[in-house]
Amino acid sequence: MRDMVRKWRPHSLSESRGFREESLVLMSMPTISFVRMGSCSFSKSHLLNEVLIPSQQHQDFFIHRDMESGNIPREIAGGLLEISWYFPAGRENLDLFPEPVVVANLRGDIELHWLQFSFLTEVSSAVFILTESISERECTLLSSLQGSATKYYFIFNYQAGKAKQTLEFLKKLASMLKLNKSHVLWKGGTTNKAQFVKVLQSAIAAIMKSSPKRVSIEAMAETARQLGIQVDEDNKECQTPNTYAKEITAQIKDVAKYKREKLRLQGETWRNLAEVDKELCRMRKQGDTPLENYKSQLKKKLMDLCAQQNKHDLTDGLITFITGIEHLHHREKHYFLKWMKFGLDPTARENLSKLWDQYKEKCKNSKDDPKMFAELDKLISASSLGVEHFMRELGQFYEAECSMVKEGKMAESQRQFTHLPSIAADLMLKGFPMEIIDGDISNIPLQWVTDVLSQLDAKLGGRYRMLVLMVLGVQSTGKSTLLNTMFGLQFAVSSG
């Protein structure tokens, strides 16, 4: 779930046409939960689907018994807790709620799944309890919720024969759970469904306006641990790689500064090296200099720049990164790279969102200095940081070392990085992409790419083929999503 990132437009940004973008696991927001007590003749999940969409539309977020294949016997869904999210689009006349909200749906009777219900009472802003009546035993159970900060609402499916008894128990619960008339909703056989959905939407909107409790999914996990519920991330195979990743990501406060100081081979020397490399192919600035002399000058300049790169030592972060991708076990490597991504993304996203907003503002004013756009471009590039930057750094170390050996300035026995292409090939076999050409200065580290693909071919027993997928036309056509889904890859997708 940590991979899930959502972009939306809150009402406060509707005029400026701005967006917010956050991880669904890290974002704190209100949680509205719906549970069933005893039997209920109408479908809770169906009702929720109606509540979460504007009228005249239909979308089955939650499976219910009235949909196709929905009436099969329940085998394992009892006690299952599902969640869905509602996000505003920044259109006040169409949005149901002004800000994001989590909607939770507990399958089965709360009496049979009290642990899951206890979890919901701890993390929810409000809990809606659907029932047909309240018995003495149920009243006793609910009275244990006294003192809870969570708001409780009852949705009754009106049953004439049990109405008097239900009202008596409801009066007992009123003082314990701080109930008033707005906390009790009645749905009878003659109640108009569309009207009742609007009443329920209004009740949720009122909760949203009352400064409700906000909890992130990451914080929910802590509550789950306290209740003895197993959390998937707590196993050793997942936590050991997290320790390695945190050693790196905990140091990163300012992305641009970190890249300057810790990923030093991607600085100005790299830019100059790329320019010389391109000029060797294009020969556009030769002027009156004889061809061979000009080529010789460029090659010398190239070697000087490679020598400058080769003088640098691996930083602590890079040493930890190499340890993570080389020495951890198969599944641990996968976890390590994921934890790296989850540690790097929020930091970079926060900086980039502000810079993109500035860039859009400048774009509106065409009179702004072009140099200012160039500076913003550089800042955006400098504020981006992902796993690919660490792999790029390793590629540059490898390239510089190869150049030194090729020119006879380093003996083969002195090489430190000969094992890196094999590690990169292993990562490709696990579904992680390798960058061939970067998006900052459009440089291809040819020797690095060649040796990684040669290693890949060797590991596949000479059966290596390269297929190219590209799109002519609009962006975001779903290439990465398609490949990730078909082959279990880890390409970045624009929707996230």
Side-chain angles (χ1 to χ4, degrees):
M1 290 176 77
R2 288 183 183 273
D3 258 327
M4 298 166 71
V5 175
R6 179 70 188 180
K7 185 187 280 188
W8 78 97
R9 178 175 289 149
H11 287 183
S12 57
L13 296 178
S14 54
E15 283 187 25
S16 63
R17 309 287 293 169
F19 284 97
R20 281 187 63 193
E21 186 178 42
E22 281 189 59
S23 157
L24 293 192
V25 167
L26 301 178
M27 180 167 53
S28 295
M29 49 184 150
T31 299
I32 311 295
S33 298
F34 288 77
V35 301
R36 172 171 63 82
M37 184 172 70
S39 59
C40 194
S41 58
F42 67 91
S43 168
K44 168 167 52 71
S45 299
H46 193 192
L47 177 65
L48 279 178
N49 292 340
E50 299 284 332
V51 168
L52 286 172
I53 54 170
S55 57
Q56 313 306 320
Q57 294 181 28
H58 183 75
Q59 178 79 42
D60 285 321
F61 299 105
F62 298 109
I63 294 172
H64 58 90
R65 61 185 177 227
D66 295 325
M67 66 186 287
E68 189 178 344
S69 302
N71 60 343
I72 57 172
R74 181 178 290 175
E75 297 288 345
I76 59 169
L80 170 70
L81 176 59
E82 299 171 295
I83 62 171
S84 187
W85 291 265
Y86 177 86
F87 284 91
R91 294 173 292 184
E92 293 185 30
N93 57 329
L94 293 176
D95 288 334
L96 298 174
F97 310 115
E99 60 179 304
V101 60
V102 177
V103 177
N105 180 22
L106 177 62
R107 302 279 180 181
D109 187 347
I110 59 171
E111 282 192 70
L112 302 175
H113 308 290
W114 195 257
L115 176 64
Q116 289 90 324
F117 179 59
S118 301
F119 171 76
L120 286 177
T121 62
E122 293 290 329
V123 301
S124 302
S125 313
V127 177
F128 285 79
I129 301 170
L130 281 75
T131 187
E132 293 192 344
S133 60
I134 301 177
S135 66
E136 188 173 353
R137 189 180 75 257
E138 289 166 341
C139 181
T140 305
L141 272 173
L142 291 173
S143 63
S144 66
L145 302 173
Q146 187 173 5
S148 169
T150 303
K151 295 178 180 177
Y152 294 94
Y153 291 74
F154 286 87
I155 299 176
F156 287 102
N157 192 31
Y158 185 71
Q159 297 286 320
K162 299 178 180 177
K164 188 179 178 183
Q165 176 190 312
T166 296
L167 283 170
E168 284 177 10
F169 287 127
L170 201 54
K171 284 176 185 175
K172 283 184 182 180
L173 291 170
S175 58
M176 296 179 193
L177 303 182
K178 298 176 184 175
L179 304 177
N180 58 43
K181 284 186 179 180
S182 67
H183 289 219
V184 181
L185 309 176
W186 295 91
K187 184 182 184 301
T190 57
T191 306
N192 179 281
K193 188 171 83 170
Q195 196 173 351
F196 185 74
V197 165
K198 283 187 178 177
V199 169
L200 196 47
Q201 286 171 341
S202 298
I204 295 171
I207 294 165
M208 303 278 280
K209 288 175 184 174
S210 64
S211 304
K213 174 168 64 179
R214 297 165 191 275
V215 181
S216 67
I217 291 175
E218 193 172 56
M220 287 182 188
E222 191 51 48
T223 303
R225 289 183 187 102
Q226 291 167 9
L227 291 170
I229 298 171
Q230 183 183 338
V231 178
D232 63 347
E233 289 179 356
D234 289 350
N235 70 76
K236 189 181 176 184
E237 193 178 42
C238 183
Q239 282 306 317
T240 302
N242 189 17
T243 307
Y244 280 102
K246 278 182 177 174
E247 275 184 42
I248 301 168
T249 57
Q251 300 175 20
I252 305 168
K253 300 292 183 280
D254 181 327
V255 172
K257 185 182 177 186
Y258 182 85
K259 285 171 77 173
R260 274 196 314 273
E261 294 177 358
K262 304 296 183 182
L263 302 177
R264 294 172 292 197
L265 269 63
Q266 292 172 62
E268 278 305 308
T269 307
W270 180 48
R271 291 180 180 277
N272 294 336
L273 195 146
E275 285 302 316
V276 175
D277 206 18
K278 288 172 193 172
E279 182 58 19
L280 261 170
C281 298
R282 297 170 179 171
M283 307 294 281
R284 288 180 181 171
K285 300 173 185 175
Q286 181 184 345
D288 298 328
T289 312
L291 179 64
E292 289 306 316
N293 287 358
Y294 188 60
K295 270 191 176 181
S296 180
Q297 288 171 17
L298 289 175
K299 283 179 180 176
K300 184 181 182 304
K301 199 172 181 183
L302 201 64
M303 279 311 304
D304 289 344
L305 291 166
C306 286
Q308 283 180 41
Q309 284 192 318
N310 199 55
K311 283 178 184 175
H312 290 293
D313 293 321
L314 291 171
T315 57
D316 293 343
L318 275 175
I319 291 168
T320 306
F321 182 77
I322 293 171
T323 303
I325 59 175
E326 185 177 15
H327 298 301
L328 291 173
H329 296 303
H330 166 66
R331 281 178 64 80
E332 288 181 329
K333 284 181 189 178
H334 190 93
Y335 281 127
F336 170 69
L337 290 169
K338 280 291 186 182
W339 281 120
M340 281 289 294
K341 180 180 185 294
F342 301 146
L344 297 171
D345 282 359
T347 311
R349 192 182 299 120
E350 191 179 336
N351 294 333
L352 286 169
S353 294
K354 293 172 186 172
L355 290 169
W356 277 117
D357 287 342
Q358 286 180 40
Y359 200 90
K360 284 174 187 172
E361 282 299 314
K362 300 291 178 191
C363 286
K364 288 177 188 173
N365 187 1
S366 56
K367 295 175 185 176
D368 277 334
D369 185 2
K371 286 182 181 177
M372 200 177 288
F373 282 106
E375 284 301 314
L376 269 174
D377 258 336
K378 278 186 182 177
L379 275 173
I380 288 169
S381 178
S383 300
S384 304
L385 183 60
V387 173
E388 67 273 15
H389 290 90
F390 287 83
M391 292 302 296
R392 194 186 293 174
E393 189 79 356
L394 299 187
Q396 287 302 308
F397 269 106
Y398 186 80
E399 283 278 306
E401 188 178 78
C402 284
S403 299
M404 293 292 102
V405 172
K406 198 180 285 183
E407 292 297 315
K409 295 188 177 182
M410 179 189 283
E412 191 70 37
S413 58
Q414 293 178 291
R415 295 190 66 172
Q416 302 178 62
F417 306 120
T418 50
H419 61 302
L420 293 182
S422 178
I423 297 170
D426 281 335
L427 293 179
M428 288 184 76
L429 289 172
K430 289 177 177 65
F432 287 91
M434 185 187 78
E435 182 180 81
I436 291 176
I437 181 167
D438 69 89
D440 290 329
I441 62 169
S442 303
N443 172 244
I444 303 176
L446 208 55
Q447 193 63 54
W448 167 247
V449 172
T450 302
D451 290 352
V452 171
L453 297 183
S454 297
Q455 284 290 329
L456 188 65
D457 189 44
K459 289 173 187 289
L460 292 171
R463 294 179 290 111
Y464 165 73
R465 289 193 305 153
M466 183 182 284
L467 304 176
V468 178
L469 178 69
M470 60 183 175
V471 164
L472 180 65
V474 295
Q475 290 184 336
S476 296
T477 50
K479 300 186 301 297
S480 300
T481 304
L482 174 70
L483 290 171
N484 290 350
T485 306
M486 287 176 72
F487 305 114
L489 308 179
Q490 301 294 328
F491 282 116
V493 292
S494 58
S495 60

